[in-house]
Amino acid sequence: EESAPLAGIPTTQPSTAPSAGSRPSLDTSSPIHIVLAEQIIARLSREGSLKSFEVKGDLQLRISDPSLTKLSLLLTANEGPLKAQFRTHPNVDKALFTSSKVIQLKDTTKRFPSNNSIGVLRWRATAPADTPDILPITFTVWVNRSSDSYTITIEYELTDPSTPLREVVVTIPYASAEPAVSSFDSMYEVTGDSLEWTIGTIDDANATGSFEFEAQMGDGADESEFFPMSVKFDMVKPFIEVDVLNAKLIEEGEEMNFEKVIRSGTGSAGDG
């Protein structure tokens, strides 16, 4: 079965990027505000193999001080092994971005609008089915059936130790009898139609784990009622290597401090 969409809302992780310059140091009230927003949409088989994968993101720029709107941004933007495609806003100098990874207006006599969030860059990457080692984490589901019940075990493994995950939650649907959890040391919550396993942080210290529960077989029930399972997580950095290195006033050549927020995580993911 194909997995159903997961409405994952990544958390906000602010970081203030310091830079040189004669202007006062700026903190979270900085008039230059940058958001790197990215969603991963993936579907896995019950055995953990990749069925589909897409990642898409954008860079939003908001400048609240009109005197700072003649601005350029120096970026890191690596296409990586998935050959991510980058697309600049029509008013942004595409040739300059391609050659130097700099975001600025084509017409440097003009300014970015003030007090308005503008998407200046987008990126997207996909991977074909069964591509190995794409996701930073893998899940495998084991189903054992007895005469009157199922025992279901879910295993996870962090495949990329350099990419810790936060707020990891696995949601397992069910339609008949309420499952009985046998992983007593796990954090979980049973609702009227789903079982939520909260893993929290997955990193080197917690790179593997499992969760097991049992369910009675009702009339006409089978293991398919526990699928598609969905997975939600947040990442501390974008999946595609995109970052803002500095912000500079074009006319003065002066580097400015800016506030940077990263929102990267699952848009839809699941085992089905």
Side-chain angles (χ1 to χ4, degrees):
E1 288 183 53
E2 291 293 330
S3 63
L6 166 69
I9 303 176
T11 56
T12 300
Q13 301 175 13
S15 62
T16 303
S19 62
S22 60
R23 294 178 186 265
S25 177
L26 301 175
D27 53 20
T28 54
S29 62
S30 169
I32 302 172
H33 184 80
I34 295 166
V35 177
L36 298 169
E38 186 182 70
Q39 283 192 330
I40 298 171
I41 303 170
R43 286 180 169 82
L44 309 176
S45 71
R46 300 181 191 181
E47 292 74 31
S49 61
L50 190 71
K51 298 172 76 172
S52 64
F53 176 87
E54 180 185 35
V55 57
K56 52 187 177 180
D58 66 1
L59 190 159
Q60 299 278 333
L61 172 65
R62 180 184 177 92
I63 305 172
S64 59
D65 184 341
S67 70
L68 305 180
T69 49
K70 281 193 176 183
L71 191 75
S72 69
L73 304 177
L74 177 62
L75 271 57
T76 295
N78 293 329
E79 62 180 19
L82 294 183
K83 303 298 181 184
Q85 297 177 332
F86 295 95
R87 185 181 299 273
T88 55
H89 187 281
N91 292 337
V92 167
D93 191 331
K94 180 179 179 181
L96 184 61
F97 173 78
T98 302
S99 64
S100 305
K101 300 299 182 285
V102 170
I103 294 287
Q104 72 178 41
L105 294 176
K106 285 187 290 189
D107 185 349
T108 55
T109 66
K110 295 185 177 180
R111 299 174 176 270
F112 285 108
S114 60
N115 294 303
N116 191 14
S117 184
I118 302 296
V120 295
L121 179 70
R122 293 178 181 174
W123 60 92
R124 179 179 181 269
T126 60
D130 297 321
T131 302
D133 303 325
I134 291 295
L135 289 171
I137 190 171
T138 60
F139 285 89
T140 305
V141 181
W142 303 85
V143 180
N144 294 318
R145 179 175 179 173
S146 64
S147 59
D148 61 352
S149 66
Y150 290 100
T151 300
I152 297 180
T153 305
I154 309 167
E155 294 181 321
Y156 73 81
E157 180 179 2
L158 184 68
T159 57
D160 183 0
S162 69
T163 308
L165 306 179
R166 305 285 185 256
E167 306 293 335
V168 184
V169 177
V170 181
T171 303
I172 304 115
Y174 68 89
S176 54
E178 181 177 302
V181 175
S182 49
S183 297
F184 298 112
D185 57 344
S186 299
M187 292 182 59
Y188 65 91
E189 181 179 0
V190 181
T191 65
D193 57 3
S194 67
L195 172 62
E196 284 197 353
W197 171 29
T198 300
I199 305 173
T201 298
I202 298 179
D203 53 20
D204 275 341
N206 187 33
T208 61
S210 63
F211 183 74
E212 187 170 276
F213 63 92
E214 296 182 1
Q216 299 299 311
M217 294 172 56
D219 293 338
D222 61 33
E223 65 187 67
S224 63
E225 73 172 85
F226 304 109
F227 298 92
M229 299 179 185
S230 59
V231 182
K232 180 175 67 174
F233 59 79
D234 301 330
M235 301 175 65
V236 298
K237 61 182 180 180
F239 185 87
I240 301 299
E241 189 180 355
V242 179
D243 199 6
V244 180
L245 304 180
N246 69 44
K248 183 181 292 186
L249 297 179
I250 293 175
E251 293 179 344
E252 295 87 342
E254 180 182 348
E255 288 191 17
M256 297 298 302
N257 288 356
F258 56 91
E259 180 189 4
K260 179 176 64 180
V261 174
I262 297 173
R263 298 180 183 141
S264 180
T266 50
S268 304
D271 292 293

mmCIF file of all heavy atoms in Angstrom, residues 137-156:
data_model
loop_
_atom_site.group_PDB
_atom_site.id
_atom_site.type_symbol
_atom_site.label_atom_id
_atom_site.label_comp_id
_atom_site.label_asym_id
_atom_site.label_seq_id
_atom_site.Cartn_x
_atom_site.Cartn_y
_atom_site.Cartn_z
ATOM 1 N N ILE A 137 17.523 8.372 7.915
ATOM 2 C CA ILE A 137 17.038 7.334 8.813
ATOM 3 C C ILE A 137 16.255 6.303 8.010
ATOM 4 O O ILE A 137 15.637 6.634 6.988
ATOM 5 C CB ILE A 137 16.141 7.947 9.919
ATOM 6 C CG1 ILE A 137 15.824 6.919 10.997
ATOM 7 C CG2 ILE A 137 14.871 8.553 9.336
ATOM 8 C CD1 ILE A 137 15.133 7.519 12.209
ATOM 9 N N THR A 138 16.312 5.048 8.430
ATOM 10 C CA THR A 138 15.521 3.991 7.794
ATOM 11 C C THR A 138 14.650 3.318 8.846
ATOM 12 O O THR A 138 15.017 3.234 10.024
ATOM 13 C CB THR A 138 16.407 2.930 7.122
ATOM 14 O OG1 THR A 138 17.252 2.315 8.110
ATOM 15 C CG2 THR A 138 17.264 3.549 6.031
ATOM 16 N N PHE A 139 13.493 2.853 8.392
ATOM 17 C CA PHE A 139 12.573 2.111 9.246
ATOM 18 C C PHE A 139 12.256 0.773 8.584
ATOM 19 O O PHE A 139 12.090 0.696 7.366
ATOM 20 C CB PHE A 139 11.262 2.891 9.452
ATOM 21 C CG PHE A 139 11.381 4.045 10.400
ATOM 22 C CD1 PHE A 139 11.752 5.303 9.935
ATOM 23 C CD2 PHE A 139 11.121 3.884 11.753
ATOM 24 C CE1 PHE A 139 11.869 6.368 10.805
ATOM 25 C CE2 PHE A 139 11.236 4.958 12.628
ATOM 26 C CZ PHE A 139 11.605 6.204 12.148
ATOM 27 N N THR A 140 12.164 -0.278 9.395
ATOM 28 C CA THR A 140 11.761 -1.598 8.932
ATOM 29 C C THR A 140 10.670 -2.111 9.864
ATOM 30 O O THR A 140 10.778 -1.977 11.092
ATOM 31 C CB THR A 140 12.945 -2.582 8.918
ATOM 32 O OG1 THR A 140 13.999 -2.032 8.143
ATOM 33 C CG2 THR A 140 12.529 -3.920 8.321
ATOM 34 N N VAL A 141 9.622 -2.686 9.289
ATOM 35 C CA VAL A 141 8.494 -3.185 10.059
ATOM 36 C C VAL A 141 8.422 -4.702 9.931
ATOM 37 O O VAL A 141 8.447 -5.251 8.825
ATOM 38 C CB VAL A 141 7.164 -2.554 9.584
ATOM 39 C CG1 VAL A 141 5.999 -3.078 10.416
ATOM 40 C CG2 VAL A 141 7.234 -1.033 9.652
ATOM 41 N N TRP A 142 8.334 -5.378 11.070
ATOM 42 C CA TRP A 142 8.205 -6.833 11.123
ATOM 43 C C TRP A 142 6.826 -7.175 11.678
ATOM 44 O O TRP A 142 6.427 -6.656 12.718
ATOM 45 C CB TRP A 142 9.273 -7.454 12.016
ATOM 46 C CG TRP A 142 10.677 -7.120 11.616
ATOM 47 C CD1 TRP A 142 11.393 -6.013 11.955
ATOM 48 C CD2 TRP A 142 11.538 -7.900 10.778
ATOM 49 N NE1 TRP A 142 12.643 -6.045 11.403
ATOM 50 C CE2 TRP A 142 12.768 -7.196 10.676
ATOM 51 C CE3 TRP A 142 11.398 -9.133 10.111
ATOM 52 C CZ2 TRP A 142 13.843 -7.671 9.942
ATOM 53 C CZ3 TRP A 142 12.469 -9.603 9.388
ATOM 54 C CH2 TRP A 142 13.665 -8.884 9.300
ATOM 55 N N VAL A 143 6.108 -8.050 10.986
ATOM 56 C CA VAL A 143 4.769 -8.464 11.416
ATOM 57 C C VAL A 143 4.761 -9.975 11.627
ATOM 58 O O VAL A 143 5.042 -10.743 10.699
ATOM 59 C CB VAL A 143 3.698 -8.079 10.375
ATOM 60 C CG1 VAL A 143 2.322 -8.529 10.856
ATOM 61 C CG2 VAL A 143 3.707 -6.576 10.123
ATOM 62 N N ASN A 144 4.469 -10.407 12.862
ATOM 63 C CA ASN A 144 4.334 -11.834 13.183
ATOM 64 C C ASN A 144 2.891 -12.114 13.564
ATOM 65 O O ASN A 144 2.327 -11.436 14.434
ATOM 66 C CB ASN A 144 5.262 -12.222 14.337
ATOM 67 C CG ASN A 144 6.727 -12.116 13.956
ATOM 68 O OD1 ASN A 144 7.117 -12.501 12.859
ATOM 69 N ND2 ASN A 144 7.536 -11.586 14.863
ATOM 70 N N ARG A 145 2.324 -13.116 12.916
ATOM 71 C CA ARG A 145 0.910 -13.428 13.135
ATOM 72 C C ARG A 145 0.769 -14.762 13.858
ATOM 73 O O ARG A 145 1.396 -15.754 13.489
ATOM 74 C CB ARG A 145 0.178 -13.488 11.790
ATOM 75 C CG ARG A 145 -1.290 -13.833 11.894
ATOM 76 C CD ARG A 145 -1.952 -13.754 10.537
ATOM 77 N NE ARG A 145 -3.365 -14.097 10.612
ATOM 78 C CZ ARG A 145 -4.216 -13.983 9.593
ATOM 79 N NH1 ARG A 145 -3.778 -13.526 8.424
ATOM 80 N NH2 ARG A 145 -5.488 -14.304 9.738
ATOM 81 N N SER A 146 -0.057 -14.769 14.910
ATOM 82 C CA SER A 146 -0.407 -16.011 15.588
ATOM 83 C C SER A 146 -1.867 -16.331 15.290
ATOM 84 O O SER A 146 -2.489 -15.694 14.430
ATOM 85 C CB SER A 146 -0.170 -15.876 17.096
ATOM 86 O OG SER A 146 -1.029 -14.888 17.640
ATOM 87 N N SER A 147 -2.433 -17.253 16.001
ATOM 88 C CA SER A 147 -3.802 -17.675 15.686
ATOM 89 C C SER A 147 -4.832 -16.588 15.961
ATOM 90 O O SER A 147 -5.846 -16.498 15.282
ATOM 91 C CB SER A 147 -4.162 -18.930 16.493
ATOM 92 O OG SER A 147 -4.041 -18.650 17.892
ATOM 93 N N ASP A 148 -4.564 -15.727 16.954
ATOM 94 C CA ASP A 148 -5.572 -14.727 17.303
ATOM 95 C C ASP A 148 -5.015 -13.324 17.505
ATOM 96 O O ASP A 148 -5.709 -12.434 18.009
ATOM 97 C CB ASP A 148 -6.314 -15.159 18.570
ATOM 98 C CG ASP A 148 -5.380 -15.301 19.762
ATOM 99 O OD1 ASP A 148 -4.155 -15.215 19.570
ATOM 100 O OD2 ASP A 148 -5.890 -15.486 20.883
ATOM 101 N N SER A 149 -3.757 -13.084 17.131
ATOM 102 C CA SER A 149 -3.185 -11.760 17.357
ATOM 103 C C SER A 149 -2.017 -11.506 16.415
ATOM 104 O O SER A 149 -1.510 -12.416 15.757
ATOM 105 C CB SER A 149 -2.715 -11.613 18.814
ATOM 106 O OG SER A 149 -1.631 -12.481 19.067
ATOM 107 N N TYR A 150 -1.609 -10.238 16.381
ATOM 108 C CA TYR A 150 -0.416 -9.818 15.647
ATOM 109 C C TYR A 150 0.589 -9.256 16.640
ATOM 110 O O TYR A 150 0.209 -8.593 17.615
ATOM 111 C CB TYR A 150 -0.743 -8.701 14.642
ATOM 112 C CG TYR A 150 -1.568 -9.122 13.465
ATOM 113 C CD1 TYR A 150 -2.938 -8.868 13.426
ATOM 114 C CD2 TYR A 150 -0.981 -9.751 12.379
ATOM 115 C CE1 TYR A 150 -3.701 -9.233 12.329
ATOM 116 C CE2 TYR A 150 -1.734 -10.127 11.279
ATOM 117 C CZ TYR A 150 -3.087 -9.863 11.266
ATOM 118 O OH TYR A 150 -3.836 -10.238 10.180
ATOM 119 N N THR A 151 1.856 -9.503 16.369
ATOM 120 C CA THR A 151 2.938 -8.807 17.056
ATOM 121 C C THR A 151 3.710 -8.026 16.008
ATOM 122 O O THR A 151 4.217 -8.594 15.038
ATOM 123 C CB THR A 151 3.890 -9.779 17.774
ATOM 124 O OG1 THR A 151 3.155 -10.528 18.740
ATOM 125 C CG2 THR A 151 5.002 -9.004 18.477
ATOM 126 N N ILE A 152 3.765 -6.698 16.183
ATOM 127 C CA ILE A 152 4.392 -5.826 15.196
ATOM 128 C C ILE A 152 5.585 -5.123 15.840
ATOM 129 O O ILE A 152 5.461 -4.531 16.921
ATOM 130 C CB ILE A 152 3.391 -4.798 14.653
ATOM 131 C CG1 ILE A 152 2.265 -5.535 13.917
ATOM 132 C CG2 ILE A 152 4.078 -3.791 13.736
ATOM 133 C CD1 ILE A 152 1.218 -4.634 13.328
ATOM 134 N N THR A 153 6.725 -5.227 15.181
ATOM 135 C CA THR A 153 7.957 -4.608 15.661
ATOM 136 C C THR A 153 8.440 -3.600 14.613
ATOM 137 O O THR A 153 8.536 -3.924 13.429
ATOM 138 C CB THR A 153 9.058 -5.659 15.909
ATOM 139 O OG1 THR A 153 8.555 -6.661 16.798
ATOM 140 C CG2 THR A 153 10.294 -5.012 16.515
ATOM 141 N N ILE A 154 8.723 -2.382 15.062
ATOM 142 C CA ILE A 154 9.239 -1.334 14.181
ATOM 143 C C ILE A 154 10.667 -1.032 14.608
ATOM 144 O O ILE A 154 10.920 -0.754 15.785
ATOM 145 C CB ILE A 154 8.388 -0.053 14.289
ATOM 146 C CG1 ILE A 154 6.907 -0.372 14.099
ATOM 147 C CG2 ILE A 154 8.838 0.986 13.272
ATOM 148 C CD1 ILE A 154 5.992 0.762 14.502
ATOM 149 N N GLU A 155 11.588 -1.087 13.669
ATOM 150 C CA GLU A 155 12.989 -0.782 13.942
ATOM 151 C C GLU A 155 13.404 0.470 13.182
ATOM 152 O O GLU A 155 12.948 0.682 12.052
ATOM 153 C CB GLU A 155 13.896 -1.934 13.524
ATOM 154 C CG GLU A 155 13.720 -3.217 14.324
ATOM 155 C CD GLU A 155 14.682 -4.290 13.856
ATOM 156 O OE1 GLU A 155 14.907 -4.407 12.640
ATOM 157 O OE2 GLU A 155 15.207 -5.024 14.718
ATOM 158 N N TYR A 156 14.268 1.261 13.781
ATOM 159 C CA TYR A 156 14.845 2.403 13.067
ATOM 160 C C TYR A 156 16.357 2.361 13.174
ATOM 161 O O TYR A 156 16.927 1.785 14.108
ATOM 162 C CB TYR A 156 14.303 3.738 13.591
ATOM 163 C CG TYR A 156 14.827 4.150 14.946
ATOM 164 C CD1 TYR A 156 16.081 4.774 15.095
ATOM 165 C CD2 TYR A 156 14.077 3.935 16.104
ATOM 166 C CE1 TYR A 156 16.559 5.154 16.332
ATOM 167 C CE2 TYR A 156 14.549 4.317 17.344
ATOM 168 C CZ TYR A 156 15.790 4.919 17.450
ATOM 169 O OH TYR A 156 16.271 5.286 18.685
#
